[in-house]
Amino acid sequence: MKNQKYLFWIILLFIIVFQSCEDSEVVETPNFTISYDMQAKAGEPVEFSIVNSPQFLSFFSGEFGKEYKNKDRTKAEGDFTVSFETSRHYQDGDSRLDGAWRFMYSTDYTGSGSVADVEAATWVNISDRVTFATERTYNKTFSGITDITDLSTDKPVYMAIRILAEGKKTEGNRQGIFDFFSFNLTLALDQTNSLQIADMNTPGFFPVNITGENSNPSFDNWILRDKSYRMHGGSAEYTNDDWLITKPLNLSGTVAPDRGEPLKTYSEKLENFSHTYQNPGSYTITFVGRNETIYGSEETIEEFTLLVE
């Protein structure tokens, strides 16, 4: 009889231990609630309150670039456009009419920056698609917004602003000063939203002097000046062939997925936070809550529509 009682308690203890182990392996599904002010105004913070926040919580505001529906997007369809500004001054004689500006692109340039590789690459002249400065002033000339969707490719694309000027100062044909500003390459996804692919700083430009040397490095090659580039060929007695080439550009339509803002991690306590919308509109807000242990994770997604006036 004693042995039977002893066996009973052993079995009962085993069941209790086994059940507690099973319970410890269960990951709790996040069960949080969100409340916020329905009277949202552009430029003013929207206050969010959170009850029973999970271990991890992230926030997709619904603004462009921060939409949950695009969290897995790696390709985007749209139109590629490019624009920039130029100015020119001090050119004299025939150099005022020599068409020194060139706008080029290549898909087989190595990107090395060497003269040999620039000359060996296949460059296509698309200068007829843009407008360059020709007046003898420092006034900026806008290139226009040029559609270059036809250049889309999975290969890296390089673009170049090239100055090919032949005037000689002693013959009254001073080459002048060339300025390049405000490069902007975008992928337009629709009528209102565009992804910026490149600007003056990203991924950046690299100058290559093919022809035309000067003992003063401030002349006869492209020089970075704050937020613009200048090629000063005013004193030249020789041909200047100077290139300003982008670093590799992505015209494949490959884009980075939208990412949510992490609001909290495991060790933090979160009961409220705020976010400011700068523009009026209707936004789909998404909260992604996650609980996680060594046994796995559980996720809960909550979506709301916010109208910002």
Side-chain angles (χ1 to χ4, degrees), residues 183-214:
F183 182 78
N184 188 36
L185 175 60
T186 62
L187 173 60
L189 303 181
D190 52 44
Q191 293 183 346
T192 57
N193 296 314
S194 296
L195 295 172
Q196 187 167 64
I197 306 301
D199 57 22
M200 292 294 287
N201 301 313
T202 306
F205 288 81
F206 190 85
V208 180
N209 190 343
I210 301 293
T211 302
E213 295 292 339
N214 195 305

Side-chain angles (χ1 to χ4, degrees), residues 19-34:
Q19 185 64 48
S20 65
C21 289
E22 277 195 331
D23 291 341
S24 67
E25 294 179 11
V26 174
V27 181
E28 183 180 354
T29 300
N31 184 25
F32 58 94
T33 58
I34 305 289

Side-chain angles (χ1 to χ4, degrees), residues 196-247:
Q196 187 167 64
I197 306 301
D199 57 22
M200 292 294 287
N201 301 313
T202 306
F205 288 81
F206 190 85
V208 180
N209 190 343
I210 301 293
T211 302
E213 295 292 339
N214 195 305
S215 58
N216 185 342
S218 297
F219 292 86
D220 303 322
N221 58 83
W222 284 106
I223 301 296
L224 178 62
R225 303 171 65 250
D226 190 18
K227 297 180 181 180
S228 65
Y229 284 89
R230 168 168 289 182
M231 208 295 283
H232 194 318
S235 62
E237 296 295 328
Y238 39 74
T239 296
N240 263 305
D241 189 2
D242 295 279
W243 296 59
L244 189 60
I245 306 174
T246 65
K247 295 177 182 179

